[in-house]
Every structure is written in structure tokens, then in C-alpha cells.
Amino acid sequence: RSHVVLINFGTLEIQRKRLEKATHYFQQAIEFCPTAAKAFCGIGIVAQMTGETEIAQLYFKKTLDVDCLNVVAIQQLYALAETEANWRALRIRIVQALIKDPSNLENRYLLAATLLKQNDWSGCESELNLILIKSPDHLKAKKLREELSLHRHRQGRSL
């Protein structure tokens, strides 16, 4: 009788690779609590596991409609993004999350990576600077900075 318990059952079924059963639990959780962000995310994960990327994207977006800070949904949308429209929409979602939690370095990193994908090199550099000021040893940010430098070098611009 609790959406949290149903979500936990769904998560367990994912781990057991019983995806249909997992989806059933997540759907029950949503019926019980229409704002159960983790249940939407669970359905998105199942859809992604079965290769239904459009459905996965839809459910990850629903997750963020309910909880814009859901890092799993943001990460999965990043992993699924392929088109310029996907990158633009993702950028908006990450900015919404950062407005609520500006200190979240993982989301800030994903924004920097998204900006690089969109060839917004100065935006990417600004985000990387913010990350590296707060966490000078942030390995992913350091690596992305190197990648940004390579892009600029190829274009004849220095960082």
C-alpha cells in the first residue's frame, strides 16, 4: 500500500532481470502516487534496457517534470541524446536542476559536456571553471577541459 515499497519491488525485479514484473510494480506505484518520480525513472530504465529509447526518453522527461533534481534521469537523457533538439532540451533540464541546486557538481559537469556537444565552447569553459574552482581534482572536468582544448586547437583557437 506504499508507492515507496512498490518502487523498491520494481527495482528488485530489474536486478533480477524480470523487466515486465518491474514495470508492473512501477505502474502500480504511479497509480498510487502520480508524482512518484522514481517510478517514472524505473519505467524509463526498463525501456532503455529493452532498446525502446523513445519510451525511455519520455519517462525520463516525466521523471524530471516531477523531480527536476533526479540525477539518474538527467544522466540517462544525456546518454540517450543524439540530436541537436535532444541536446537543447537536456540543457534546459540541467539548468532547471542547477537553479534549485547550484552546488551539484555532477549536474554542472553534465551541463559543461552538453555545452561542448553544442559547440558552445565558452559556456563549456565557464562551467568547467566553476567545477574546478570548487573541486580542483575533479577528474571528469579535467578530462573534459583537455577535450575542449583539443577542439579549440583544431579550430585554430587556444584555450
Side-chain angles (χ1 to χ4, degrees):
R1 304 235 171 195
S2 163
H3 72 282
V4 175
V5 171
L6 292 167
I7 291 167
N8 288 339
F9 285 155
T11 303
L12 251 155
E13 295 302 336
I14 286 177
Q15 293 169 352
R16 294 177 177 161
K17 305 280 190 250
R18 297 193 290 207
L19 303 181
E20 195 172 304
K21 215 170 192 178
T23 301
H24 178 72
Y25 281 122
F26 293 133
Q27 288 170 337
Q28 281 185 316
I30 292 167
E31 287 173 19
F32 191 75
C33 177
T35 58
K38 290 181 180 181
F40 287 118
C41 193
I43 293 173
I45 289 168
V46 169
Q48 190 174 13
M49 291 173 76
T50 58
E52 299 172 278
T53 57
E54 287 180 21
I55 292 171
Q57 287 176 328
L58 174 74
Y59 276 94
F60 293 136
K61 289 174 186 175
K62 285 183 177 191
T63 302
L64 295 173
D65 289 343
V66 175
D67 175 16
C68 73
L69 296 175
N70 188 300
V71 177
V72 173
I74 292 171
Q75 290 171 336
Q76 296 312 310
L77 282 173
Y78 179 86
L80 294 171
E82 294 178 350
T83 66
E84 180 57 32
N86 291 152
W87 293 117
R88 272 194 314 271
L90 178 62
R91 181 179 181 171
I92 291 167
R93 297 292 190 157
I94 297 170
V95 168
Q96 289 171 336
L98 285 170
I99 288 169
K100 284 201 168 191
D101 183 9
S103 64
N104 186 312
L105 295 184
E106 182 60 29
N107 282 342
R108 196 156 295 283
Y109 167 78
L110 288 173
L111 178 58
T114 299
L115 292 168
L116 182 61
K117 295 279 188 186
Q118 294 183 293
N119 295 318
D120 181 349
W121 297 342
S122 61
C124 177
E125 182 179 19
S126 294
E127 293 301 321
L128 289 173
N129 288 339
L130 289 170
I131 294 167
L132 293 170
I133 286 169
K134 291 189 183 239
S135 179
D137 296 325
H138 195 286
L139 295 177
K140 292 191 296 186
K142 287 172 136 181
K143 186 175 179 182
L144 190 60
R145 174 169 261 168
E146 290 174 19
E147 189 177 334
L148 174 62
S149 183
L150 286 173
H151 281 294
R152 285 191 162 173
H153 180 71
R154 285 187 207 125
Q155 296 294 320
R157 301 177 195 148
S158 62
L159 185 61

